[in-house]
C-alpha cells in the first residue's frame, strides 16, 4: 500500500475542487491510500475580501512572512507519504500566506522531508515567479519537486483582473455585469484536470516520477506566456521595494497601502499595456531567449 497526501488551501473552493479532480485516479486505485489535508489558519483571512483587507495582505504575502497554522493531524504526522500533491494559489506574485506558512512550518518540513512533490497551481495567470519561490521552499524542506501543473484563468490579462477582483470582493463566481466571462479557472479545465492525475498515477505506479514533467507538459499542464513572465519579473522588483517600505513603516501603514493601491491601479491599467506594446515590438529580437525561458518554466 502506497500513501499519497493531497495538501490544499482554498477560500472559494476552486483549488479544493481542482485537488479533488486531480486526485480522482488515485482514489480509484486500490493499492493507494489517499489522505487530504486542508491547511487551516489560527486566524483565517476574510472571504470575501474588501479593499482594506485585500491590500493589507500585500506586505506579508510578498515578504513571505508566515502566520500561525492549526496543527496537522497526528495521523498525517505519523505516516510516511510516498508522494505529496501540493495545491497552492498565488497572492501578490508569491505563494499565498497559508501555503508559505505551511512550507516554512516544522510540520510541513517534516511531511515533505525526502518526499517527491507535485505542485498544482490554481491562480489568475501570474504564477511563474511564485513557483520559483516555492522551489526554494521545497529545497529548504528537503523535498523533491517532480512535477508541476498550472491552471489559470484563460481570458485576457486585463479582463481577468476585473472579473477576479469582482469575485474576490463579492465571494460569488458569477458573470460581472452579466456580460463579462466567468472568473477563475474554467469549469471545463477543472473537470478535465483528472487527466493530469492519470499521468501522475501512471508514473507513480511505475516508480518513474522523474519522467513525469515532460509528459504533463505535453498535454498542456503548463502554458507559458512570455509577456506575463516579463510582467511578473518586473513587478517582483517593484513589489520588493513597496513591501519592504510598508513593512518598515508600520506607523504609516494605512496611508502607504492606499498609495500602493494607486500605484497598482496605474501599473495594471497604464504601465502593463505599454509593457505589452514594447514586448510585441521587441519579440523578434528575443525569440531565442524566450524559447529557452519557456522550456525552463515548463520544467521543474
Ligand atoms: C490577496 C490576493 C492576491 C492575489 N494575487 C494574485 C497574483 O499575484 N497572481 C495570480 O495569478 N493570482 C492572484 N490571486 C488569485 C489567486 O491566486 C486565486 O486564483 C484566487 O484567490 C482563488 O483561489 P482560492 O482557491 O483560494 O479561492 C490573488 C488573490 C488574492 C486573494
Amino acid at each position: 500500500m502506497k500513501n499519497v497526501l493531497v495538501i490544499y488551501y482554498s477560500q472559494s473552493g476552486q483549488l479544493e475542487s481542482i485537488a479533488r479532480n486531480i486526485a480522482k485516479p488515485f482514489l480509484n486505485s486500490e493499492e493507494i491510500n489517499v489522505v487530504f489535508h486542508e491547511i487551516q489558519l489560527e486566524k483565517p483571512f476574510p472571504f470575501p475580501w474588501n479593499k482594506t483587507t485585500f491590500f493589507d495582505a500585500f506586505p506579508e504575502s510578498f515578504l513571505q512572512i508566515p502566520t500561525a497554522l492549526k496543527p496537522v493531524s497526528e495521523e498525517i504526522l505519523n505516516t510516511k507519504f510516498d508522494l505529496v500533491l501540493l495545491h497552492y494559489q498565488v497572492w501578490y506574485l508569491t505563494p499565498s500566506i497559508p501555503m508559505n506558512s505551511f512550507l516554512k512550518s516544522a510540520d510541513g518540513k517534516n511531511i515533505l522531508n525526502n518526499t517527491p512533490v507535485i505542485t498544482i497551481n490554481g491562480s489568475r495567470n501570474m504564477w511563474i515567479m511564485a513557483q520559483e519561490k516555492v522551489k526554494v521552499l521545497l529545497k529548504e524542506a528537503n523535498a523533491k519537486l517532480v512535477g508541476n501543473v498550472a491552471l489559470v484563468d484563460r481570458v485576457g490579462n486585463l479582463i481577468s483582473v476585473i472579473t477576479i477582483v469582482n469575485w474576490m470582493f463579492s465571494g460569488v463566481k458569477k458573470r460581472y455585469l452579466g456580460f463579462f466571462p466567468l472568473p477563475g479557472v474554467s469549469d471545463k479545465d477543472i473537470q478535465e484536470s483528472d487527466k493530469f492525475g492519470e499521468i501522475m498515477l501512471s508514473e507513480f505506479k511505475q516508480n518513474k516520477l522523474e519522467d513525469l514533467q515532460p509528459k504533463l507538459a505535453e498535454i498542456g499542464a503548463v502554458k507559458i506566456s512570455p509577456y506575463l513572465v516579463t510582467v511578473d519579473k518586473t513587478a517582483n522588483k517593484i513589489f520588493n521595494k513597496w513591501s519592504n517600505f510598508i513593512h518598515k513603516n508600520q506607523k504609516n501603514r494605512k496611508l502607504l497601502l492606499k498609495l500602493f493601491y494607486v500605484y497598482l491601479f496605474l501599473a495594471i491599467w497604464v504601465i502593463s499595456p505599454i509593457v505589452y506594446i514594447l514586448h510585441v515590438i521587441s519579440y523578434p529580437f528575443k525569440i531565442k531567449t524566450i524559447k529557452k525561458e519557456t522550456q525552463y518554466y515548463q520544467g521543474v
Side-chain angles (χ1 to χ4, degrees), residues 10-15 49 54 89-93 122-126 167-168:
S10 184
Q11 289 193 304
S12 69
Q14 174 177 278
L15 207 41
W49 300 79
F54 188 82
Q89 60 286 87
V90 177
W91 288 2
Y92 294 108
L93 314 177
S123 300
R124 186 175 69 85
N125 63 15
M126 217 164 280
W167 175 30
M168 294 292 107

Side-chain angles (χ1 to χ4, degrees), residues 7-11 15 37-45 49 57 60-61 64-70 86-91 94-105 108 137:
I7 302 175
Y8 67 93
Y9 168 84
S10 184
Q11 289 193 304
L15 207 41
H37 172 65
E38 179 183 10
I39 297 172
Q40 287 185 328
L41 282 72
E42 286 289 355
K43 234 181 94 202
F45 280 94
W49 300 79
E60 287 70 26
S61 293
Q64 296 189 254
I65 297 171
T67 188
L69 302 179
K70 293 207 168 140
L86 189 77
H87 298 75
Y88 76 97
Q89 60 286 87
V90 177
W91 288 2
T94 308
S96 66
I97 291 183
M99 183 47 76
N100 178 63
S101 306
F102 177 80
L103 291 172
K104 288 188 169 178
S105 68
L137 293 170

Side-chain angles (χ1 to χ4, degrees), residues 29 37 39 89 105 147 149 155 221 253 293:
S29 170
H37 172 65
I39 297 172
Q89 60 286 87
S105 68
V149 176
V155 306
R253 184 176 173 108
E293 262 189 4

Side-chain angles (χ1 to χ4, degrees), residues 235-281:
N236 259 278
K237 289 183 194 145
I238 303 166
F239 277 17
N240 187 31
K241 298 220 159 62
W242 273 104
S243 58
N244 277 300
F245 187 56
I246 298 169
H247 194 67
K248 282 180 191 145
N249 284 281
Q250 291 292 349
K251 262 200 224 150
N252 300 317
R253 184 176 173 108
K254 269 191 182 157
L255 172 70
L256 292 175
L257 285 173
K258 277 190 184 143
L259 290 178
F260 174 68
Y261 162 70
V262 175
Y263 158 76
L264 198 59
F265 187 87
L266 293 175
I268 291 170
W269 295 103
V270 181
I271 304 173
S272 86
I274 297 172
V275 173
Y276 184 72
I277 293 167
L278 293 176
H279 171 77
V280 172
I281 295 171

